[in-house]
Amino acid sequence: RTTDFTSTTTGSDLGLGIEQIEYNPDFTSSANPTLSWFANTDIDKVYAGFANVSYDVTSALEASLALRYDKDDASQIVDPRNTGGVPPGCSPAPGSNCTRSTSFDRMQPKVSLKYQLDPDAQVYASWGRGFRSGLYNPYGTSAVAAGAGLAGVSDVLPSELTDSYEVGFKSEWLDHSLRVNGALYDTTVRGQQYFVFLGGIGAQILVSIDKVQIKGGELQAVYSPFKGLDLYASVGVSDSKIEQYALNPQDVGKWAPYVPQSSENLGAQYRFPLSAQLRVLTRADFIVKGAQYWDPENTAARSAVELLNLRAGLEDADGRWTVTGAVTNATNKAYNAEFVLGGFAQPAPPREWTVEARYHF
């Protein structure tokens, strides 16, 4: 169970300062009177169950079936002072009807086949369905959007459903010192949840992109020339296309937002003994996040981003305790982790240092 309170507001800037509005609007402020107020408390009760079974069809062929069921009982308590409207019967009076409720649920099957070509190589194929619960936008969002000429915006966002097909292989070479894996995938996303900025309430809201197709592949290799040293590299490429979008049909055929065109990772990990009881662990990762678009219109893009992460640690020979220091984004690369049209950006974290200690009882 989770409970979240959210409020968004706009106000008049009279040149006398900006008040911080959180739980209560101030419509009569002499400095910064509230113009719009959208506030609600979202409550989610989530249940899930899963099971899987595998069967050896032959000595080389294995079939697997997995099932997962998710249910989200969602409710939203609307603030009766909401300027975008309130549910019928909602008022400041105690016990008034300010709550709306709904449930999102889905069974998610996954079917897999794995064939062992020889002791060092296998191929596989799978199909699976994924589910992401729907949610509430602030009450009255659809009416404000309609007034701004935006069709297809809903107060209640439907669930996001994903169907994914994948084929691939796993193999070992050079007396098990080299591992090479690869895969191709084809994913259809229905109801992809996407943030847009709605000026009428001064806030980000979620809308659904009706159908998105994503195709791609990835290849990875790990080479261990001697004990303790792993050298690894991976590359992934993808091609995405918006196939249906009721909110803006002109975007059909364009690249889906937040889907990178490629990704690469090159790194090394070396673990070696310092004494009979101590070992040193070092690791370096060079990561490339490929170019992507932020919006379905493909008018705002982020170029590829190159990042360096470093890690070093000390551990006992039995693995009971570990002390590790790490630095992420070691070159202090400045880039955006999120961007919404209108100029609202969320910068990615700068260089970060961390120290972690673990002990296994």
Side-chain angles (χ1 to χ4, degrees):
R1 175 186 170 121
T2 60
T3 302
D4 295 302
F5 172 81
T6 304
S7 66
T8 59
T9 181
T10 62
S12 294
D13 184 0
L14 304 181
L16 301 175
I18 304 299
E19 296 182 355
Q20 182 171 328
I21 303 296
E22 294 180 353
Y23 294 97
N24 295 290
D26 191 350
F27 298 105
T28 60
S29 170
S30 59
N32 181 212
T34 300
L35 294 178
S36 69
W37 170 255
F38 289 77
N40 47 263
T41 300
D42 292 306
I43 303 172
D44 290 277
K45 297 179 181 178
V46 180
Y47 311 88
F50 58 90
N52 66 278
V53 60
S54 298
Y55 178 70
D56 291 330
V57 181
T58 69
S59 59
L61 179 63
E62 179 186 272
S64 300
L65 171 65
L67 292 173
R68 178 184 174 92
Y69 176 74
D70 283 87
K71 183 178 182 183
D72 179 6
D73 290 332
S75 60
Q76 184 180 73
I77 304 173
V78 180
D79 191 308
R81 299 166 294 183
N82 193 332
T83 56
V86 296
C90 177
S91 73
S96 63
N97 184 26
C98 294
T99 301
R100 52 179 179 164
S101 301
T102 190
S103 290
F104 305 96
D105 69 297
R106 183 68 57 170
M107 181 68 76
Q108 302 147 76
K110 182 178 181 179
V111 180
S112 305
L113 290 174
K114 180 177 68 174
Y115 186 75
Q116 198 75 33
L117 297 171
D118 59 46
D120 296 330
Q122 63 176 246
V123 293
Y124 67 89
S126 68
W127 166 82
R129 172 162 292 171
F131 163 77
R132 184 180 182 182
S133 176
L135 47 79
Y136 287 107
N137 277 317
Y139 192 91
T141 295
S142 59
V144 174
L150 296 176
V153 177
S154 173
D155 283 3
V156 184
L157 200 71
S159 301
E160 179 180 295
L161 300 177
T162 302
D163 286 289
S164 185
Y165 297 87
E166 182 176 330
V167 295
F169 71 90
K170 298 180 180 181
S171 62
E172 295 187 356
W173 307 81
L174 303 178
D175 195 24
H176 306 290
S177 63
L178 174 63
R179 299 181 296 279
V180 181
N181 304 325
L184 297 173
Y185 62 87
D186 187 337
T187 300
T188 301
V189 185
R190 291 177 173 83
Q192 178 181 338
Q193 297 173 4
Y194 169 70
F195 275 114
V196 298
F197 181 77
L198 190 58
I201 61 176
Q204 292 186 59
I205 63 169
L206 279 166
V207 299
S208 289
I209 302 178
D210 302 270
K211 185 178 179 181
V212 170
Q213 194 79 24
I214 306 172
K215 299 179 180 180
E218 55 187 17
L219 183 67
Q220 63 175 200
V222 181
Y223 178 53
S224 305
F226 55 83
K227 184 178 180 180
L229 177 63
D230 294 323
L231 307 174
Y232 48 89
S234 65
V235 59
V237 295
S238 61
D239 179 70
S240 69
K241 181 187 294 185
I242 297 174
E243 297 196 340
Q244 295 177 19
Y245 190 25
L247 187 62
N248 191 355
Q250 294 181 349
D251 292 339
V252 171
K254 295 184 178 179
W255 197 278
Y258 288 86
V259 179
Q261 300 175 18
S262 64
S263 61
E264 296 86 30
N265 184 22
L266 182 66
Q269 179 175 285
Y270 185 36
R271 178 182 274 111
F272 60 91
L274 189 63
S275 68
Q277 297 298 324
L278 294 176
R279 293 184 302 191
V280 174
L281 171 66
T282 59
R283 181 182 178 114
D285 287 279
F286 178 70
I287 301 168
V288 179
K289 297 184 176 183
Q292 67 173 51
Y293 288 104
W294 295 112
D295 60 326
E297 292 75 27
N298 291 179
T299 60
R302 184 185 71 188
S303 302
V305 177
E306 299 177 348
L307 302 174
L308 177 64
N309 297 334
L310 303 172
R311 177 179 293 270
L314 190 66
E315 61 186 11
D316 80 327
D318 297 326
R320 289 182 303 171
W321 60 264
T322 305
V323 177
T324 306
V327 53
T328 56
N329 191 7
T331 60
N332 204 30
K333 178 72 174 181
Y335 66 101
N336 286 331
E338 184 179 352
F339 179 86
V340 179
L341 288 183
F344 299 89
Q346 175 63 51
R351 181 190 296 119
E352 290 185 335
W353 299 86
T354 60
V355 176
E356 181 182 87
R358 291 187 178 184
Y359 186 86
H360 301 281
F361 294 95

